[in-house]
């Protein structure tokens, strides 16, 4: 019967058939089950430098193609919120509620080496004399650590340090080369320290 229709009518008929087939295909794709993965997300806004607690984390399912490669996946990391690589981990930069937590946002054993680009980099805590400065710092800032010389002048004891996290009490966690880290730790025992920001 279709073949007996005039050319224009036959073309319109075939177009309608094709359109209906596309709609049906789209509907089937929409209704078909999608592969999802359970990942850790923030249940609230979390400031930089804070240690994650169970209350900070929610597990949510996302389509596999939308999940970052470094996302903390439940199947890969833990079956419960007691996973040591999540609970107690330090957030390096502030988050908003609902963000997917990635390993790059958490302090780990390679953080110092990645920031400095040096395998011998290490972490050292520094409590600042001027606590207001801590509020201006963020993860990744480059700073110099400064103390007072015997004549009262400023003395730089470490340059090129990278801010890893700002913690409570104006304490910074800095990434430094091993030699400079030892110098900073020794200086902190005898005199107050401050920093100057050299690059953001």
């Amino acid at each position: 019967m279709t073949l007996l229709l005039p050319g224009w009518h036959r073309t319109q008929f075939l177009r309608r058939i094709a359109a209906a087939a596309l709609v049906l295909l789209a509907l089937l794709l929409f209704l078909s089950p999608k592969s999802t993965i359970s990942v850790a997300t923030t249940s609230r806004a979390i400031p930089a430098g804070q240690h994650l607690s169970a209350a900070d984390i929610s597990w949510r399912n996302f389509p596999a193609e939308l999940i970052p490669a470094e996302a903390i996946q439940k199947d890969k990391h833990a079956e419960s919120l007691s996973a040591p690589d999540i609970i107690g981990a330090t957030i390096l930069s502030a988050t908003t509620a609902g963000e997917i937590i990635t390993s790059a946002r958490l302090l780990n054993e390679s953080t110092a080496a990645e920031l400095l680009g040096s395998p011998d980099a290490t972490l050292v805590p520094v409590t600042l004399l001027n606590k207001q400065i801590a509020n201006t710092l963020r993860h990744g800032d480059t700073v110099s650590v400064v103390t007072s010389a015997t004549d009262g002048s400023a003395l730089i004891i470490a340059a090129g340090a990278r801010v890893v996290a700002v913690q409570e009490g104006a304490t910074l966690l800095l990434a430094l080369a091993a030699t400079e880290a030892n110098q900073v730790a020794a200086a902190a025992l005898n005199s107050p320290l401050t920093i100057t920001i050299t690059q953001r």
Side-chain angles (χ1 to χ4, degrees), residues 158-169:
R162 302 293 298 275
V163 176
V164 175
V166 182
Q167 301 178 315
E168 294 181 2

Side-chain angles (χ1 to χ4, degrees), residues 123-138:
L123 299 175
V124 59
V126 173
T127 300
L128 299 181
L129 174 64
N130 185 347
K131 296 184 178 181
Q132 297 301 318
I133 297 178
N135 297 328
T136 68
L137 297 171
R138 59 193 179 197

Side-chain angles (χ1 to χ4, degrees), residues 118-188:
S118 173
D120 73 336
T122 189
L123 299 175
V124 59
V126 173
T127 300
L128 299 181
L129 174 64
N130 185 347
K131 296 184 178 181
Q132 297 301 318
I133 297 178
N135 297 328
T136 68
L137 297 171
R138 59 193 179 197
H139 172 69
D141 284 348
T142 303
V143 300
S144 294
V145 183
V146 182
T147 189
S148 296
T150 53
D151 61 358
S153 62
L155 175 65
I156 296 176
I157 55 176
R162 302 293 298 275
V163 176
V164 175
V166 182
Q167 301 178 315
E168 294 181 2
T171 297
L172 306 181
L173 197 58
L174 299 180
L176 284 161
T179 301
E180 290 185 318
N182 292 334
Q183 293 172 348
V184 169

Side-chain angles (χ1 to χ4, degrees), residues 17-72:
I17 292 294
L22 289 174
V23 170
L24 180 60
L25 177 61
L27 181 61
L28 290 174
L29 290 174
F30 177 77
L31 295 177
S32 62
K34 296 180 176 62
S35 174
T36 61
I37 297 176
S38 182
V39 297
T41 66
T42 53
S43 56
R44 64 181 183 87
I46 303 173
Q50 180 162 315
H51 300 298
L52 288 177
S53 68
D56 296 324
I57 301 166
S58 298
W59 293 103
R60 296 175 59 189
N61 292 325
F62 290 92
E65 63 272 15
L66 299 181
I67 296 176
E70 296 179 332
I72 304 298

